[in-house]
Amino acid sequence: MQQPPNSSRRQFLGLAGGAAVLGALPVVTVRPAEATPAMLASAIQSVTGGAAVRTGKVKLDIPPLVENGNTVPMTVSVNHPMAAEDHVRSIHVFNEKNPQPNIANFHLGPHNGRAQVSARIRLADSQKIVAIAKLSDGSFWSASVDVVVTLAACTEEVI
Amino acid sequence: MASAMINVPAKAKRGDIIEIKTLMSHIMEPGYRHKASGEVVPRDIITSLTCRFNGNEIFRADLFPAVAANPFITFFTTATESGKFEFEWIGDQGFSETASASISVE
């Protein structure tokens, strides 16, 4: 088989040309559905039942700048004892711009020893991530982080 | 085909807090993507992971489409006695997988 000369160069130029065309068009981002901070608020409300959520205790570790939204490492830890009479019952993670604002719920108990969970998540846009911890005394604590996403997840076309 | 990877220390001292890592191969199709023909790719995700130790539930996670493909979830637990961890993943379209790991506590 004879390869056409400079095939990789041609491919590169083709890609570069395509990118230039894309760049010239106005950027239209298609979102799966309407996603609003109001939905985030109502999702939080469904967990807390309207109880006050205080800031603190919770630490949300997530990169502030995400290059690939398809897999974003996230760790939530709660600075609270895990004693039988006083422990973290659950950790809930939400995102702001998703038709379904829930990311995950983690149910814990005193036997966990340490209130810390990690997971890898998807983000389709730059947005705020909120983690809320529910303690055994019924109080809620939260932390939030703003994340910038350069490559979005979830909306790409399937071939 | 789905397959699970779990990482539990084989041995621990009583009272140690140990980390448990789980990974399940799964596409986690969020249900928002379209094919070139325009039709929506149906949602196919894992919705829950449960971990039991000697029959008692010690950890449970509800997962939503925003969890990345091949869900990798880690958590902690206190080693109290020797026994068996049993993991169960349940998802859309009848998805169900289990795995187990033993620990000896001295």
Side-chain angles (χ1 to χ4, degrees):
Chain A
M1 281 292 284
Q2 190 172 354
Q3 285 282 332
N6 280 335
S7 66
S8 64
R9 181 170 175 273
R10 273 163 204 274
Q11 278 167 7
F12 171 76
L13 289 175
L15 283 173
V21 169
L22 280 176
L25 292 169
V27 177
V28 180
T29 326
V30 182
R31 294 287 155 235
E34 280 292 304
T36 60
M39 288 172 67
L40 172 69
S42 78
I44 292 174
Q45 171 99 13
S46 72
V47 166
T48 62
V53 179
R54 278 172 281 181
T55 309
K57 284 187 186 280
V58 180
K59 185 161 172 263
L60 177 55
D61 261 328
I62 192 163
L65 177 65
V66 173
E67 284 183 16
N68 182 354
N70 278 301
T71 170
V72 184
M74 170 199 83
T75 296
V76 185
S77 51
V78 188
N79 183 13
H80 194 78
M82 290 298 268
E85 68 282 2
D86 185 18
H87 57 265
V88 178
R89 253 195 207 146
S90 56
I91 295 172
H92 307 264
V93 190
F94 303 93
N95 57 3
E96 195 179 15
K97 292 183 188 167
N98 187 319
Q100 200 170 349
N102 301 76
I103 295 179
N105 303 323
F106 303 98
H107 304 274
L108 308 173
H111 42 259
N112 287 107
R114 184 183 303 171
Q116 181 178 329
V117 290
S118 303
R120 290 194 296 225
I121 65 170
R122 287 188 177 116
L123 296 172
D125 201 353
S126 301
Q127 59 190 296
K128 187 166 79 172
I129 314 296
V130 181
I132 294 184
K134 181 183 184 183
L135 306 188
S136 53
D137 66 3
S139 66
F140 294 91
W141 297 84
S142 78
S144 65
V145 172
D146 287 300
V147 178
V148 174
V149 178
T150 51
L151 173 66
C154 301
T155 49
E156 72 273 35
E157 202 172 74
V158 181
I159 297 147
Chain B
M1 196 53 220
S3 70
M5 280 173 68
I6 48 178
N7 185 333
V8 173
K11 279 184 194 172
K13 286 195 184 117
R14 195 177 303 275
D16 276 359
I17 294 173
I18 55 169
E19 185 173 24
I20 295 177
K21 301 179 186 177
T22 69
L23 190 147
M24 169 56 79
S25 313
H26 194 284
I27 183 170
M28 293 297 277
E29 181 61 53
Y32 297 118
R33 301 196 299 164
H34 294 262
K35 289 181 187 161
S37 55
E39 51 187 310
V40 174
V41 181
R43 193 185 97 155
D44 181 10
I45 66 165
I46 294 176
T47 50
S48 91
L49 161 64
T50 309
C51 175
R52 295 182 190 88
F53 181 66
N54 289 347
N56 300 317
E57 180 180 305
I58 57 164
F59 177 80
R60 184 162 51 88
D62 310 321
L63 308 181
F64 295 90
V67 173
N70 306 324
F72 174 65
I73 294 170
T74 70
F75 58 95
F76 290 83
T77 191
T78 310
T80 51
E81 55 179 356
S82 300
K84 195 161 113 177
F85 292 98
E86 290 172 294
F87 301 85
E88 184 180 28
W89 292 261
I90 291 174
D92 292 339
Q93 304 182 13
F95 180 87
S96 174
E97 280 282 326
T98 57
S100 63
S102 295
I103 186 169
S104 79
V105 174
E106 51 212 31

